[in-house]
Amino acid sequence: PVEHAEHDTLIRPSRIYIAPPDRHLMAHNGRIRLSAGPKENFARPAIDPLFRSAAIEYGPRAIAVVLTGNLDDGAAGAVAVRACGGSIIVQDPIDSVAPSMPASALRAVPDAVIASLDKVGETIVQALMAPRRPKVMEPHPTQVAAEARISTTGVTSPAELDLIGERSPLTCPDCGGVVWRIGTDAPLRYRCHTGHAFSNLALASAQRLGLEEALWIAIRKAEERATLALAQAEIARRSGDEALAAAAGVEHAEFQSLQESLRRFVLEGTDK
């Protein structure tokens, strides 16, 4: 049976639970927890909150599967599952339509089992039958538990983030808040004091888009300044003020050149 998960219902065996739209899906004390907590990697539901909760709830019994997808959502959660003794199965990147997520998971958990899509089900059964893995760390590591709590409650604080990360000079692309760097190894991640979380690839992608938008705004403003300067030069020329017309003409040329350079920079960057 396949069903949308419902908050606070008992998790039953032999069921497939699908996260409903705009809610993180997590496990807690044998029950389903749905949360409108902060987005992770600009998504809700996101994979990492689910994986972290499974790591804490089930420890060595958890099996996390990362399939085809863009960027690296799921890599941090896979690390949490592995740290608590669980198993990681990753779709073969060669077999994936979008190999970025599987490849990122493999970089984060190099000993994950790789399977082609048609072998994933069989590989899950093999993981169920295999001896349980040893825990890499305690079953409730501070960082995993803290981030699971943030996803569940939607509440965090700078003091709590200071315990699991280090403040960085970056700002959150969602809310503009201060961003903490979580961890030093793959997968490198960031979280702001309101709770938004980003993988390294997701944050880089957001910054790239934000920079492109800012440059297009700068192009528009440069074009407007050039247009205004040209109009001012024409008015000054008609009134016989050649000095003002010349100054406005120089300003027009400067801003016209600026917008052309910015446009060329943006277009060349987009082509790459």
Side-chain angles (χ1 to χ4, degrees):
V2 180
E3 59 190 81
H4 264 150
E6 295 185 5
H7 182 68
D8 205 34
T9 57
L10 190 68
I11 297 175
R12 295 177 292 170
S14 301
R15 292 288 192 281
I16 297 175
Y17 294 101
I18 306 295
D22 200 35
R23 291 293 182 273
H24 291 310
L25 169 60
M26 291 165 286
H28 181 70
N29 291 335
R31 308 185 80 85
I32 289 172
R33 294 295 298 271
L34 299 180
S35 170
K39 292 182 178 181
E40 297 206 19
N41 298 323
F42 305 100
R44 188 176 53 227
I47 301 170
D48 288 332
L50 171 62
F51 280 6
R52 280 195 294 266
S53 73
I56 293 172
E57 183 78 4
Y58 299 110
R61 294 191 299 151
I63 301 172
V65 182
V66 179
L67 302 176
T68 180
N70 286 315
L71 299 180
D72 55 352
D73 192 16
V79 169
V81 171
R82 182 67 189 90
C84 293
S87 301
I88 310 298
I89 299 170
V90 176
Q91 183 179 351
D92 191 336
I94 298 176
D95 183 52
S96 302
V97 175
S100 178
M101 271 175 47
S104 297
L106 287 173
R107 283 193 295 270
V109 187
D111 64 346
V113 177
I114 302 173
S116 59
L117 185 60
D118 62 343
K119 298 293 184 182
V120 167
E122 177 184 327
T123 308
I124 292 173
V125 173
Q126 292 172 354
L128 287 168
M129 304 294 289
R132 291 183 183 174
R133 292 173 174 267
K135 298 179 181 64
V136 178
M137 60 175 67
E138 293 299 315
H140 298 279
T142 301
Q143 182 178 308
V144 176
E147 292 197 86
R149 184 170 59 253
I150 292 170
S151 297
T152 302
T153 64
V155 177
T156 186
S157 68
E160 183 176 35
L161 291 175
D162 282 337
L163 296 176
I164 64 173
E166 297 180 355
R167 300 189 190 209
S168 77
L170 304 175
T171 55
C172 175
D174 265 352
C175 67
V178 176
V179 167
W180 275 253
R181 173 173 167 164
I182 309 295
T184 56
D185 300 319
L188 185 60
R189 295 176 303 109
Y190 300 88
R191 187 181 285 275
C192 79
H193 64 83
T194 59
H196 299 118
F198 312 94
S199 67
N200 191 48
L201 290 182
L203 185 57
S205 177
Q207 287 182 332
R208 186 165 51 250
L209 291 174
L211 176 59
E212 183 178 339
E213 290 176 0
L215 288 172
W216 281 115
I217 291 173
I219 290 169
R220 174 178 59 81
K221 289 186 175 295
E223 286 180 332
E224 290 175 352
R225 287 294 303 274
T227 300
L228 286 172
L230 182 61
Q232 185 178 25
E234 291 174 352
I235 293 172
R237 195 172 291 111
R238 285 198 298 268
S239 65
D241 191 340
E242 293 299 328
L244 180 58
V250 170
E251 184 178 22
H252 168 262
E254 289 176 346
F255 281 104
Q256 185 68 19
S257 176
L258 175 60
Q259 73 88 10
E260 290 173 355
S261 297
L262 287 173
R263 187 183 298 273
R264 187 162 53 250
F265 178 81
V266 172
L267 293 177
E268 289 176 355
T270 302
D271 291 339
K272 294 176 183 178

